[in-house]
Amino acid sequence: MGQSVIATMTFYKSIDMRAGLALRMAREARKHGYKLIAVDGGSPMEFIAALEGFGATLHPQKGKGLGPAHRQLFTLAAEDAGEDGIVDWVEAEKWPLVAELWGINRPILDNEADLVMPGRTEVAWASYPPAQMHQEKFCNLVMKSMFPTIDADWFWGPFAANQAAIRHFIEYDGEGYNGRSVPKIHAIAAGLRITGVTVNYLHPPEQTREETGNLFYDLRRVKQVEQVSAMAETALKLGLIIK
Protein backbone atom coordinates (compact mmCIF):
# COMPACT_ATOMS: atom_id res chain seq x y z
CA MET A 1 0.00 0.00 0.00
CA GLY A 2 1.42 3.37 -0.98
CA GLN A 3 1.58 6.60 0.96
CA SER A 4 1.42 10.32 0.27
CA VAL A 5 4.89 11.85 0.18
CA ILE A 6 5.61 15.57 0.10
CA ALA A 7 8.50 16.35 -2.25
CA THR A 8 10.31 19.68 -2.13
CA MET A 9 13.67 21.35 -2.73
CA THR A 10 15.64 23.57 -0.36
CA PHE A 11 18.63 25.85 -0.67
CA TYR A 12 19.17 28.69 1.80
CA LYS A 13 22.32 30.67 2.49
CA SER A 14 21.23 31.40 6.03
CA ILE A 15 18.36 30.80 8.44
CA ASP A 16 16.32 33.61 6.96
CA MET A 17 12.59 34.20 6.62
CA ARG A 18 12.19 31.72 3.77
CA ALA A 19 14.13 29.04 5.64
CA GLY A 20 11.84 29.64 8.59
CA LEU A 21 8.81 29.02 6.39
CA ALA A 22 10.38 25.76 5.18
CA LEU A 23 10.82 24.64 8.78
CA ARG A 24 7.17 25.53 9.38
CA MET A 25 6.22 23.25 6.49
CA ALA A 26 8.22 20.41 8.03
CA ARG A 27 6.31 20.88 11.27
CA GLU A 28 3.01 20.85 9.39
CA ALA A 29 4.00 17.69 7.50
CA ARG A 30 4.74 15.90 10.75
CA LYS A 31 1.53 17.22 12.30
CA HIS A 32 -0.60 15.88 9.45
CA GLY A 33 1.27 12.59 9.09
CA TYR A 34 3.04 13.14 5.75
CA LYS A 35 6.53 12.00 4.94
CA LEU A 36 8.62 14.94 3.69
CA ILE A 37 11.51 14.40 1.28
CA ALA A 38 13.79 17.27 0.23
CA VAL A 39 16.71 17.59 -2.14
CA ASP A 40 18.98 20.25 -0.69
CA GLY A 41 21.38 22.38 -2.71
CA GLY A 42 23.75 23.28 0.13
CA SER A 43 21.90 24.90 3.02
CA PRO A 44 23.59 25.55 6.41
CA MET A 45 23.99 22.49 8.61
CA GLU A 46 21.85 24.04 11.34
CA PHE A 47 18.95 24.32 8.88
CA ILE A 48 19.41 20.73 7.73
CA ALA A 49 19.55 19.53 11.33
CA ALA A 50 16.39 21.46 12.20
CA LEU A 51 14.49 20.10 9.18
CA GLU A 52 15.57 16.55 9.96
CA GLY A 53 14.54 17.16 13.56
CA PHE A 54 10.96 17.54 12.32
CA GLY A 55 11.19 14.16 10.60
CA ALA A 56 12.12 15.26 7.08
CA THR A 57 14.49 13.20 4.94
CA LEU A 58 17.12 15.33 3.15
CA HIS A 59 19.28 14.27 0.23
CA PRO A 60 22.23 16.37 -1.00
CA GLN A 61 21.67 17.57 -4.56
CA LYS A 62 23.82 15.47 -6.89
CA GLY A 63 23.66 17.39 -10.17
CA LYS A 64 24.00 21.10 -10.82
CA GLY A 65 20.87 23.02 -11.79
CA LEU A 66 17.11 22.68 -11.38
CA GLY A 67 16.74 19.97 -14.03
CA PRO A 68 18.87 17.33 -12.30
CA ALA A 69 17.47 18.37 -8.92
CA HIS A 70 13.91 17.80 -10.11
CA ARG A 71 14.74 14.39 -11.55
CA GLN A 72 16.56 13.33 -8.41
CA LEU A 73 13.76 14.51 -6.14
CA PHE A 74 10.89 12.98 -8.07
CA THR A 75 12.72 9.66 -8.39
CA LEU A 76 13.30 9.49 -4.64
CA ALA A 77 9.75 10.55 -3.82
CA ALA A 78 8.22 8.02 -6.23
CA GLU A 79 10.27 5.23 -4.66
CA ASP A 80 9.14 6.20 -1.17
CA ALA A 81 5.50 6.67 -2.16
CA GLY A 82 5.19 3.11 -3.42
CA GLU A 83 3.12 1.57 -6.19
CA ASP A 84 -0.21 3.01 -5.04
CA GLY A 85 1.23 6.15 -3.47
CA ILE A 86 1.03 9.84 -4.29
CA VAL A 87 3.80 12.38 -4.75
CA ASP A 88 2.83 15.89 -3.62
CA TRP A 89 5.14 18.56 -5.02
CA VAL A 90 5.00 21.60 -2.74
CA GLU A 91 7.43 24.52 -2.71
CA ALA A 92 9.16 24.52 0.65
CA GLU A 93 7.73 27.84 1.83
CA LYS A 94 4.06 27.00 1.14
CA TRP A 95 3.39 25.53 4.59
CA PRO A 96 -0.35 26.50 4.68
CA LEU A 97 -0.97 24.08 1.79
CA VAL A 98 -0.06 20.98 3.82
CA ALA A 99 -3.41 21.00 5.63
CA GLU A 100 -5.17 21.00 2.22
CA LEU A 101 -3.34 18.05 0.69
CA TRP A 102 -6.08 15.61 1.67
CA GLY A 103 -8.45 17.41 -0.72
CA ILE A 104 -5.83 17.62 -3.47
CA ASN A 105 -5.09 13.91 -3.19
CA ARG A 106 -8.73 12.82 -3.05
CA PRO A 107 -9.35 12.59 -6.84
CA ILE A 108 -6.34 10.25 -7.14
CA LEU A 109 -7.39 8.17 -4.15
CA ASP A 110 -10.87 7.88 -5.67
CA ASN A 111 -9.32 6.78 -9.00
CA GLU A 112 -10.73 9.82 -10.78
CA ALA A 113 -7.43 11.47 -11.74
CA ASP A 114 -3.73 10.78 -12.26
CA LEU A 115 -2.50 14.35 -11.89
CA VAL A 116 -4.17 17.07 -9.79
CA MET A 117 -3.34 20.77 -9.90
CA PRO A 118 -4.79 22.68 -6.93
CA GLY A 119 -6.33 26.08 -7.54
CA ARG A 120 -6.61 29.33 -5.59
CA THR A 121 -9.64 31.31 -4.52
CA GLU A 122 -9.85 35.05 -5.21
CA VAL A 123 -9.02 35.62 -1.55
CA ALA A 124 -5.86 33.55 -2.04
CA TRP A 125 -4.91 35.48 -5.19
CA ALA A 126 -5.23 38.72 -3.25
CA SER A 127 -2.72 37.47 -0.68
CA TYR A 128 0.03 37.30 -3.35
CA PRO A 129 2.51 39.96 -4.53
CA PRO A 130 0.70 41.88 -7.33
CA ALA A 131 3.36 41.13 -9.98
CA GLN A 132 3.20 37.41 -9.24
CA MET A 133 -0.60 37.41 -9.26
CA HIS A 134 -0.80 39.13 -12.66
CA GLN A 135 1.96 36.98 -14.19
CA GLU A 136 0.38 33.71 -13.09
CA LYS A 137 -3.15 34.75 -14.06
CA PHE A 138 -1.85 35.70 -17.52
CA CYS A 139 -0.11 32.34 -17.90
CA ASN A 140 -3.28 30.55 -16.81
CA LEU A 141 -5.27 32.41 -19.49
CA VAL A 142 -2.83 31.24 -22.16
CA MET A 143 -3.06 27.67 -20.91
CA LYS A 144 -6.85 27.90 -20.97
CA SER A 145 -6.58 28.84 -24.65
CA MET A 146 -4.26 25.89 -25.21
CA PHE A 147 -6.35 23.32 -23.31
CA PRO A 148 -9.86 24.75 -22.86
CA THR A 149 -11.30 21.52 -21.44
CA ILE A 150 -8.87 21.38 -18.50
CA ASP A 151 -10.03 23.63 -15.68
CA ALA A 152 -6.93 24.09 -13.56
CA ASP A 153 -4.61 26.63 -11.96
CA TRP A 154 -1.66 25.69 -14.18
CA PHE A 155 0.83 28.19 -12.82
CA TRP A 156 0.46 27.90 -9.10
CA GLY A 157 3.03 25.14 -9.00
CA PRO A 158 1.91 22.49 -6.49
CA PHE A 159 0.58 19.22 -7.83
CA ALA A 160 -0.30 15.68 -6.77
CA ALA A 161 0.72 12.78 -8.99
CA ASN A 162 0.32 9.03 -8.98
CA GLN A 163 3.04 6.73 -10.32
CA ALA A 164 1.76 6.97 -13.91
CA ALA A 165 1.97 10.76 -13.82
CA ILE A 166 5.17 11.27 -11.83
CA ARG A 167 7.02 9.10 -14.36
CA HIS A 168 6.79 11.95 -16.88
CA PHE A 169 8.43 14.35 -14.42
CA ILE A 170 11.22 11.85 -13.74
CA GLU A 171 11.87 11.20 -17.44
CA TYR A 172 11.83 14.86 -18.55
CA ASP A 173 15.39 15.96 -19.35
CA GLY A 174 14.81 19.70 -19.69
CA GLU A 175 16.18 22.42 -17.47
CA GLY A 176 14.93 25.13 -15.12
CA TYR A 177 11.33 25.58 -14.06
CA ASN A 178 10.23 23.61 -17.13
CA GLY A 179 10.85 20.47 -15.09
CA ARG A 180 7.63 21.17 -13.19
CA SER A 181 5.52 22.36 -16.14
CA VAL A 182 6.39 20.67 -19.46
CA PRO A 183 5.90 17.12 -18.07
CA LYS A 184 2.23 18.01 -17.61
CA ILE A 185 1.98 18.20 -21.41
CA HIS A 186 3.58 14.76 -21.75
CA ALA A 187 1.03 13.45 -19.25
CA ILE A 188 -1.80 14.79 -21.41
CA ALA A 189 -0.28 13.18 -24.52
CA ALA A 190 -0.12 9.87 -22.64
CA GLY A 191 -3.86 10.03 -22.04
CA LEU A 192 -3.64 10.54 -18.30
CA ARG A 193 -6.51 12.12 -16.39
CA ILE A 194 -5.76 15.67 -15.26
CA THR A 195 -7.98 17.81 -13.10
CA GLY A 196 -7.97 20.82 -10.82
CA VAL A 197 -9.44 21.32 -7.35
CA THR A 198 -9.86 24.58 -5.46
CA VAL A 199 -8.42 24.70 -1.96
CA ASN A 200 -8.32 27.17 0.91
CA TYR A 201 -4.91 28.79 1.01
CA LEU A 202 -3.39 32.11 2.01
CA HIS A 203 0.14 33.00 0.98
CA PRO A 204 2.48 33.61 3.94
CA PRO A 205 2.26 37.38 4.53
CA GLU A 206 5.95 37.75 5.35
CA GLN A 207 6.83 36.28 1.96
CA THR A 208 4.38 38.63 0.22
CA ARG A 209 5.91 41.63 2.00
CA GLU A 210 9.45 40.65 1.00
CA GLU A 211 8.62 40.07 -2.67
CA THR A 212 6.20 42.95 -3.32
CA GLY A 213 7.88 45.74 -5.28
CA ASN A 214 11.15 43.77 -5.35
CA LEU A 215 12.70 44.16 -8.81
CA PHE A 216 14.64 40.90 -8.68
CA TYR A 217 11.59 38.84 -7.79
CA ASP A 218 9.59 40.65 -10.49
CA LEU A 219 12.26 39.82 -13.07
CA ARG A 220 12.06 36.18 -12.00
CA ARG A 221 8.33 36.29 -12.78
CA VAL A 222 9.09 37.63 -16.25
CA LYS A 223 11.52 34.76 -16.81
CA GLN A 224 8.96 32.21 -15.66
CA VAL A 225 6.55 33.25 -18.42
CA GLU A 226 8.87 31.40 -20.82
CA GLN A 227 7.43 28.15 -19.49
CA VAL A 228 4.27 28.83 -21.50
CA SER A 229 6.25 28.83 -24.76
CA ALA A 230 8.03 25.61 -23.79
CA MET A 231 4.69 23.97 -22.99
CA ALA A 232 3.17 25.16 -26.29
CA GLU A 233 6.17 23.92 -28.29
CA THR A 234 5.86 20.52 -26.64
CA ALA A 235 2.11 20.40 -27.28
CA LEU A 236 2.73 21.19 -30.97
CA LYS A 237 5.42 18.53 -31.24
CA LEU A 238 3.15 15.94 -29.66
CA GLY A 239 0.22 16.86 -31.89
CA LEU A 240 -1.98 18.10 -29.06
CA ILE A 241 -2.51 21.49 -30.72
CA ILE A 242 -2.31 22.59 -34.34
CA LYS A 243 -0.69 25.81 -35.45
Side-chain angles (χ1 to χ4, degrees), residues 105-221:
N105 293 337
R106 178 52 55 189
I108 297 177
L109 293 172
D110 291 342
N111 195 29
E112 297 173 353
D114 302 297
L115 179 66
V116 180
M117 290 182 276
R120 291 162 282 191
T121 64
E122 286 303 319
V123 173
W125 280 110
S127 70
Y128 271 74
Q132 183 176 0
M133 177 192 69
H134 289 295
Q135 176 255 318
E136 293 181 358
K137 281 195 169 187
F138 166 72
C139 290
N140 278 342
L141 284 172
V142 178
M143 294 308 300
K144 186 66 174 177
S145 298
M146 198 181 309
F147 296 107
T149 62
I150 299 177
D151 186 15
D153 189 344
W154 290 86
F155 272 82
W156 188 9
F159 64 78
N162 63 13
Q163 289 290 347
I166 201 64
R167 176 175 63 84
H168 295 284
F169 293 84
I170 294 171
E171 294 176 353
Y172 179 69
D173 61 359
E175 296 300 326
Y177 294 106
N178 289 345
R180 301 198 298 262
S181 55
V182 173
K184 296 173 183 177
I185 309 301
H186 289 279
I188 295 173
L192 299 187
R193 300 162 299 171
I194 299 178
T195 191
V197 296
T198 302
V199 297
N200 293 315
Y201 173 86
L202 289 177
H203 205 51
E206 55 268 57
Q207 189 172 359
T208 296
R209 285 193 297 269
E210 179 176 293
E211 297 181 13
T212 297
N214 187 312
L215 173 62
F216 297 102
Y217 279 106
D218 290 347
L219 290 175
R220 180 186 296 180
R221 305 302 170 200

Side-chain angles (χ1 to χ4, degrees), residues 9 39 61-75 169-180 183:
M9 294 192 294
V39 165
Q61 184 174 331
K62 292 182 178 179
K64 185 177 181 180
L66 282 176
H70 282 129
R71 291 187 286 277
Q72 179 187 357
L73 173 64
F74 293 137
T75 298
F169 293 84
I170 294 171
E171 294 176 353
Y172 179 69
D173 61 359
E175 296 300 326
Y177 294 106
N178 289 345
R180 301 198 298 262

